[in-house]
Amino acid sequence: MAALTKLTTNINLEMSGDTKRYLVSAKQGDKATRFIVAKLLNNGEPYTIPTGSRAVINIAKPDGKHVYNTCTYSGSDVTVELTNQALAASGTAYCDIEIRTSDDSQIITSASFTMEIEKSQRDENAILSSNEFTDLENRIKGHIETIENTDAAVKKAELARVTAENARVKAESERAAAEKSRQENENTRIQQEKQRQQDTSQAVKNAEDATTATKQATKDCKEVTDRAEDALQNQEQLEATLNTATQIRQEVSQMQSAVEEAKKQVEQDKKDIDDTIQNSLLASAEKILESVQDYFNRAEALYSSMYLDCDGETPYLRTVTPIFIDGATPQVRRANEGVDFDGGTPTSRQLAV
């Protein structure tokens, strides 16, 4: 079955001021279908309800009866359900909303507003008006639950107390048995302590006798040890001397081997020196012969390099063309013309060097 649409009336409600009239209208006898959402304001600014507080609607019905119901809220918006009892009597109802802290130590109430409840055409005798205090009922119910919980807690605590008392009695019995056992153990300990003292005295005497014998044995042992150390020291000296001799022998053998090697190296070096001297003399002689041959070749070349270049041209050409005699070597003949002789005309003959 589909549910009926819920009708909501939104109003703005200052936390102080005169009564606001005709803000809400409803129909007598309606149930679970009409709601009011009141935005609480403080001088026009939203009044935020602290978390943990309670919101309550107070309604003075037209017939003089009252409604005191708990509301829900979010931020500064309070949602009021108009219950069947809130709308039981027709006429003008006066309402306000109060905010309470959880411990009721603080209370603040909004400005009042009126709600017009239109008369229903149903028989008024079928609609019985009475006081409705859901907030008080919820609080009483909470107290009853607290009392019931407390009673259950008391019973549980009493059961725990009885259990604890039984445990205490049992523990006391165990403690008494333990005390008896402790006393018996203490008597045994005293007897054992006496025996221990006797045993300790005898043990001390035995230890002193043993200490005396140990001192004598230690003295005898020290004498034997001293003799053994002397013998060991002599043996160590002999072994050290033998090791030194063996090492010297090894070193002499190594030196003999080194001498043989040095002798062989000297003989090889002597042979290499002789070969070097012989090869050096031969090479020097060959270089001297090469130098002499070179000087000879150069002298021969110088001897054969002399030439005469003579031109007996016509008397006309002789005025401008000289005769060249070059006595230079072949290497410089092209760079140095040597002796320059001009046998031109009788009037222009010149000698130029």
Side-chain angles (χ1 to χ4, degrees):
M1 181 179 65
L4 298 177
T5 302
K6 296 179 180 181
L7 304 180
T8 301
T9 301
N10 295 292
I11 64 173
N12 292 331
L13 193 60
E14 285 284 346
M15 296 304 291
S16 61
D18 297 333
T19 300
K20 305 297 180 181
R21 296 185 179 276
Y22 309 110
L23 287 183
V24 180
S25 64
K27 191 74 173 182
Q28 181 186 16
D30 286 355
K31 179 181 180 181
T33 55
R34 293 185 182 274
F35 294 83
I36 301 172
V37 176
K39 179 179 285 296
L40 301 183
L41 302 175
N42 181 22
N43 296 324
E45 298 294 330
Y47 177 83
T48 302
I49 302 173
T51 302
S53 301
R54 292 185 296 114
V56 179
I57 181 71
N58 296 309
I59 302 175
K61 297 194 292 184
D63 60 359
K65 294 188 169 49
H66 292 81
V67 172
Y68 189 73
N69 291 346
T70 302
C71 307
T72 61
Y73 65 88
S74 175
S76 60
D77 294 336
V78 178
T79 301
V80 179
E81 180 182 359
L82 299 178
T83 63
N84 182 254
Q85 274 302 317
L87 301 177
S90 61
T92 301
Y94 289 84
C95 313
D96 60 28
I97 296 174
E98 67 180 40
I99 307 299
R100 292 173 172 263
T101 57
S102 59
D103 58 357
D104 293 331
S105 61
Q106 290 181 303
I107 303 174
I108 187 170
T109 305
S110 71
S112 298
F113 64 94
T114 63
M115 177 175 57
E116 296 300 323
I117 304 173
E118 185 181 353
K119 181 178 176 61
S120 174
Q121 301 306 314
R122 293 190 299 274
D123 184 5
E124 289 189 2
N125 293 328
I127 305 174
L128 299 178
S129 177
S130 64
N131 295 318
E132 185 177 46
F133 303 101
T134 59
D135 184 70
L136 293 177
E137 291 172 355
N138 291 336
R139 294 173 65 186
I140 291 172
K141 181 180 178 181
H143 290 316
I144 292 174
E145 291 178 352
T146 302
I147 292 172
E148 291 176 350
N149 294 335
T150 302
D151 185 60
V154 169
K155 291 179 179 179
K156 183 178 180 180
E158 178 61 19
L159 179 61
R161 186 196 66 78
V162 172
T163 302
E165 178 63 18
N166 293 335
R168 187 196 66 77
V169 172
K170 181 181 179 181
E172 178 62 21
S173 299
E174 293 176 351
R175 187 200 65 78
E179 176 62 20
K180 182 179 179 181
S181 176
R182 188 197 66 79
Q183 187 63 41
E184 292 175 353
N185 292 334
E186 178 64 16
N187 295 333
T188 301
R189 186 194 66 78
I190 293 173
Q191 293 177 359
Q192 292 176 346
E193 177 65 18
K194 292 180 179 179
Q195 184 64 39
R196 184 193 65 79
Q197 292 177 356
Q198 294 176 359
D199 295 341
T200 301
S201 299
Q202 184 62 41
V204 169
K205 183 177 183 302
N206 295 338
E208 290 176 351
D209 294 342
T211 300
T212 302
T214 300
K215 289 181 179 179
Q216 184 60 40
T218 301
K219 181 179 179 181
D220 297 339
C221 182
K222 185 175 183 303
E223 293 176 355
V224 173
T225 301
D226 291 339
R227 291 195 298 269
E229 287 179 351
D230 293 339
L232 180 60
Q233 185 175 3
N234 294 333
Q235 182 179 358
E236 289 176 351
Q237 291 177 353
L238 291 175
E239 290 178 353
T241 303
L242 179 59
N243 292 335
T244 302
T246 302
Q247 184 176 358
I248 292 173
R249 180 179 179 182
Q250 292 176 352
E251 291 176 355
V252 170
S253 177
Q254 292 175 357
M255 292 175 63
Q256 289 177 350
S257 298
V259 169
E260 292 295 331
E261 291 294 331
K263 181 178 180 181
K264 291 180 181 179
Q265 186 64 38
V266 168
E267 292 177 354
Q268 182 64 35
D269 292 342
K270 180 179 179 182
K271 183 176 181 302
D272 293 341
I273 291 171
D274 292 339
D275 293 342
T276 300
I277 293 173
Q278 184 176 359
N279 292 334
S280 297
L281 293 176
L282 181 60
S284 299
E286 290 178 352
K287 287 183 179 180
I288 293 172
L289 290 177
E290 289 177 357
S291 298
V292 172
Q293 184 65 36
D294 180 62
Y295 290 145
F296 178 76
N297 291 336
R298 289 174 62 187
E300 186 177 11
L302 181 64
Y303 176 78
S304 61
S305 65
M306 300 295 293
Y307 72 94
L308 179 63
D309 186 4
C310 181
D311 186 358
E313 300 167 335
T314 63
Y316 174 74
L317 294 175
R318 190 176 301 128
T319 60
V320 296
T321 304
I323 296 174
F324 295 96
I325 299 175
D326 186 8
T329 63
Q331 290 80 2
V332 301
R333 188 178 296 142
R334 300 184 183 278
N336 189 351
E337 295 181 350
V339 179
D340 187 1
F341 177 76
D342 182 10
T345 62
T347 59
S348 61
R349 183 177 297 116
Q350 296 178 355
L351 177 61
V353 179

